[in-house]
Amino acid sequence: MDRALVGRLGTFGAAVVVGAAASAIAPSLPIVIAGTALSGVAGGIFANDLGAMDAQLGDPDLRNAHLTRAVGRAIAVVINEVAQDHQGRSRLALDALAQSARQDWPHIIKDILGHQTPTELFEENLAETYFATAAKDFETLRALANWQDWRPVIHALRPRARRGLRQSWRARLGRWRSGGLYPLGTLTPTLVDTLAQELHKQFPKAIREVLKRDFAQGEEAFAGMVFDLLGNLTAGQQQLAQQLTELRQQTASLSQILADQLTRDLQRLEGIVIEESETIRKTVEDEHEKTRAEIIREIRQPQPPSRQNPNPPSNLARYRRTVPKFVGREVALAELSALFADVDQVAIAAALSGMGGLGKTELAWQWAQQEYEAGTFPGGVVWLDMVAGNPAEQLLLFYQTEFQQPVPEELPTLAQRLAYCWQHWPQQGAVLLVLDDVVRERDGATLSLFRPGGQFRVLWTTRERWTGVQDYRLDTLSDEAARQLLSSYLDGTRLEAEPEALGELLRWFDGLPLGLELAARYLALDEFLSIADYLQGLHLTHDSLDVTVEMAYPYGLEAALAFSWARLEDEAARRLALRLGLYGAAAIPLTAEEQQDWREPLRKLVNLNLLEREAADSLRLHPLVRQFLRQRLAVALSTEARAELRREVAGVIVKQGQRIPDSFTMAQAREFAPWIPHLQEVAEELLPWVGDEDVITPCNGIARFYEGQGLYDAAQPWYEQAVVVVKERLGNRHRDTAAALNNLAGLYESQGKYGDAEPLYLEALAIDRESLPANHPDLAISLNNLAELYRVQGKYGDAEPLYLEALAIVRESLPANHPQLAIHLNNLAGLYRAQGKYGDAEPLYLEALEIDRESLPTNHPELANHLNNLAGLYESQGKYGDAEPLYLEALEIDRESLPANHPQLAIHLNNLAGLYYGQEKYAEAEPLLLETASIFYESLGEEHPNTQTVLNNVISFYRTALAAGLPDRRLRQHPLGDLIRSRL
């Protein structure tokens, strides 16, 4: 108790009773009771003071059973205190007894105890029994004569408690599993005696606490007790006056002297009473105004939490997770907190959604625990396990056990009982409800019961997508976060020892927390198993990917995916999922027609998070979902149906590969890029279901994609594989075999591998001469390719007849404006230019350009190439004014349509720089030459012939330009500056 408060009340005199300063029931709420038996005047003053309090606390009805009910609540307080030391069914039995005392005490003393009720517990005896006690004697005060007198009280509580259990528990939770008994059977004689002894010791303090709380809350039991107390004081005063009168009357029979002496003594006693009454009146009047308001204010001020409930109620501990270190979700935790940032103003329902195994439940639990510890939800946190199928019963059980509050039995439906809980939630402040693993088919009809609004905030975890709630999409872990998760189970040195295997493990699971955790736990149990060896046998049904007993998650990896698959009942959606599972491990592009035809099954797949929309025209499957679907394909469809589905998918992808030309713009490259992983999948997995006429396309299309961007090293293995595939499928003399040989030889030529290219060109030409008509355009291509190889090697005599034969074939077999004709014209012109036959070369270049401008887009790389060649011819003739605009136009096309490191761009830069160099325009030539050198050095390597030619050009340029006074500032700052300067 506040020392100042005790000091003020001490002025009432020795008979003032002050509640214990360290009550065992609730030390944070001291109780103060004041009274006197000496003066009716003083009693009247105190009664008037109570009247003033009534004006603040409400007018009490002093003639009802509120004080009797307070006795029941005090008994319940003691029983609840005893229950804190028990668990399980004993705890439930004690809770039931406390509830019976709290609710039914007036009925119990009337209908059950009757005349056996201890008189000390009757309303009219409370004040005299428990409040007419000096403070120094209070600690030794006991409720009844002996503790055994409490036994019948406890037994009287049991019938009401048992009935409450039957009605409130049996209907909702079923019979108790252990022997079918109700928990009141656990009230052993020993436990009853323990409880009786505690009631004997603690009840006086408990009743004072109950009445103090009643007073602070403006209820009527305290006022009734004070009324009884003042009535007793008044009766005592009246009894004293009556005794004085009787003594006066009896003096006639005594001697006059004794009578006079007695009269004087009585008058002196009455004077003392009056004098002390006046003293008390004055004391009360002096202290009245300043104490009354302060007493009320101090009693009503907010109290710290009691020992019984130090924190808001929560059942999170029951669902505690088993992850040793929660990593990689810092952003998600912050974003969830931001989503609920307006917790004091609005009610929010949010859904944490994503595929199985993403860690939605883990994140929800970690976030709820974090916010609970931070005090964000002072009204409590309730976790409801939707898989258990009884969320309403779980909530009602939480309400009754955590708050020890009953739900009215007369409410017949679950909806009404839940509504009662929402409306009568005992704890103030925001409340968080977590609904874990919500399923539309199972839970959709009851979800409306769990959106109460007001102080309640709701968070779901779900594999589906919903409307009407704020959807927070959970993504997979980043590689860095995945490494952190693995390192929480495995020693860091073990991970660092196998960097390549670790990278493959991360790719295999693609950031799926469930898979990573299962793999880490498995590896942790076998220190001699390397990651590389583990990966060799890894598949979706591997033993390591089954759930372990240490984990709270109920599913292994395959089972988690199968759970989502089982919810997909639509056959069209299932077939589409199996179809998409045959695509490569990348985003899957959708045509406008496919988006329209598959709209409904796609919606169902996305809703179950079996796939994800990357963009409006593309989808993505998680690698493990893709693997799961491929396993399902083996059991879901017959052999014939599986083959047909594979043919369909391969046909769609091959059709896209056929669209990739030999040369293309950057815009076209971006258009083709999404199909490359799927062409790769066909080349590696689906070739048996590709027809002979298209078997060259997957490998060839991939290689053309890379070669067209100057990525020769990336293109080479695919051209080489195309030769192998075609020869195995079609034989050594097929025309597609010749095409594959031509393509590989052309790549070798671009790489400067002339010795490797020539035999391939010759083999291809022999096949074409044998298998094709003499005037076939493909034969002309083989002739042209071999002629180009001879030209670049300076074998002009071997090249010219091949060029002329090829040109004759295409003039005969192709339209006059065909782009392929322009190529043949350009190549023959290049040969004549190399021989110095400028007069023969110019008309061929001009004819080729005319065809290009008519048949190709204005930004086509082939047009730029032919412009460059004609400019080179004019430069060779000294016609610099005619050459420069052609060079500039070619460069403008290249920069628009080609990658910044494309070799063709570098060649054209070099040629324009050569034009400026020849005119001694060194400042204009320098940046062009340096850019050329960088492109060749990075894209072709230092040893490529074109790279060496350019480096020699740059060195020659600087020797002349620096001697002519060009500053070397740009050269010194360039990445290749040191290399070039070392050769000057």
Side-chain angles (χ1 to χ4, degrees), residues 882-914:
D882 294 332
E884 183 177 11
L886 297 174
Y887 277 138
L888 290 172
E889 184 180 356
L891 270 180
E892 183 180 357
I893 294 173
D894 288 340
R895 291 195 185 279
E896 179 182 350
S897 60
L898 297 176
N901 63 344
H902 197 282
Q904 178 172 305
L905 171 61
I907 292 171
H908 295 174
L909 287 165
N910 176 80
N911 293 346
L912 178 58

Side-chain angles (χ1 to χ4, degrees), residues 383 435 738 797 933:
W383 185 283
L435 278 57

Side-chain angles (χ1 to χ4, degrees), residues 128-361:
E128 179 181 353
T129 303
Y130 299 113
F131 296 100
T133 302
K136 62 184 179 65
D137 299 325
F138 185 73
E139 288 299 323
T140 61
L141 181 65
R142 295 295 179 260
L144 306 180
N146 57 73
W147 66 266
Q148 291 88 348
D149 291 343
W150 281 101
R151 284 175 176 167
V153 175
I154 296 171
H155 291 304
L157 295 174
R158 297 179 67 165
R160 288 275 177 170
R162 181 176 289 109
R163 189 182 67 177
L165 279 170
R166 287 196 183 101
Q167 295 177 349
S168 300
W169 294 79
R170 186 177 181 183
R172 299 171 202 163
L173 304 178
R175 293 184 63 84
W176 295 87
R177 295 183 180 180
S178 178
L181 299 175
Y182 294 104
L184 287 178
T186 62
L187 285 176
T188 62
T190 300
L191 181 56
V192 170
D193 286 351
T194 299
L195 183 56
Q197 292 168 11
E198 286 299 310
L199 283 166
H200 191 56
K201 291 187 294 184
Q202 300 292 351
F203 179 80
K205 301 174 185 177
I207 189 63
R208 288 171 176 272
E209 288 302 316
V210 169
L211 291 172
K212 183 272 304 178
R213 294 172 188 269
D214 185 281
F215 172 61
Q217 296 170 6
E219 299 295 341
E220 300 177 12
F222 178 82
M225 184 278 300
V226 172
F227 181 87
D228 287 339
L229 178 61
L230 294 178
N232 290 341
L233 293 175
T234 302
Q237 180 182 353
Q238 292 172 350
Q239 185 178 3
L240 177 59
Q242 179 64 34
Q243 289 174 350
L244 287 172
T245 301
E246 291 176 355
L247 286 173
R248 285 194 183 102
Q249 293 174 352
Q250 292 172 3
T251 58
S253 61
L254 301 175
S255 67
Q256 186 63 40
I257 297 173
L258 289 176
D260 291 342
Q261 181 62 43
L262 180 59
T263 299
R264 285 193 298 271
D265 290 342
L266 288 175
Q267 288 174 346
R268 186 165 51 255
L269 177 61
E270 187 173 9
I272 291 172
V273 170
I274 295 172
E275 181 181 354
E276 188 166 347
S277 296
E278 290 297 329
T279 301
I280 293 174
R281 175 191 293 275
K282 187 176 185 306
T283 300
V284 171
E285 288 176 345
D286 291 342
E287 295 291 328
H288 170 72
E289 291 300 325
K290 65 179 181 180
T291 60
R292 181 177 57 83
E294 291 177 5
I295 290 171
I296 294 173
R297 182 174 64 253
E298 293 192 28
I299 291 177
R300 284 185 167 179
Q301 67 183 355
Q303 302 296 333
S306 69
R307 184 170 63 86
Q308 294 181 22
N309 186 22
N311 296 306
S314 167
N315 62 346
L316 287 175
R318 187 181 308 166
Y319 301 93
R320 184 175 298 280
R321 320 313 296 166
T322 60
V323 177
K325 184 179 181 182
F326 186 62
V327 298
R329 294 302 192 193
E330 292 78 9
V331 173
L333 287 170
E335 290 178 346
L336 275 179
S337 295
L339 188 63
F340 285 83
D342 294 330
V343 67
D344 290 331
Q345 288 79 35
V346 297
I348 297 176
L352 181 59
S353 61
M355 64 177 288
L358 266 182
K360 301 178 295 297
T361 295

Side-chain angles (χ1 to χ4, degrees), residues 1-2 4-12 16-18 29-34 46 49-50 53 56-57 212 215-217 222 284 287-301 303:
M1 175 183 284
D2 188 305
L5 188 60
V6 174
R8 285 198 302 274
L9 291 175
T11 60
F12 280 97
V16 173
V17 179
V18 179
L29 294 173
I31 186 160
V32 180
I33 303 296
F46 193 77
D49 190 48
L50 282 175
M53 292 182 183
Q56 285 185 273
L57 303 179
K212 183 272 304 178
F215 172 61
Q217 296 170 6
F222 178 82
V284 171
E287 295 291 328
H288 170 72
E289 291 300 325
K290 65 179 181 180
T291 60
R292 181 177 57 83
E294 291 177 5
I295 290 171
I296 294 173
R297 182 174 64 253
E298 293 192 28
I299 291 177
R300 284 185 167 179
Q301 67 183 355
Q303 302 296 333

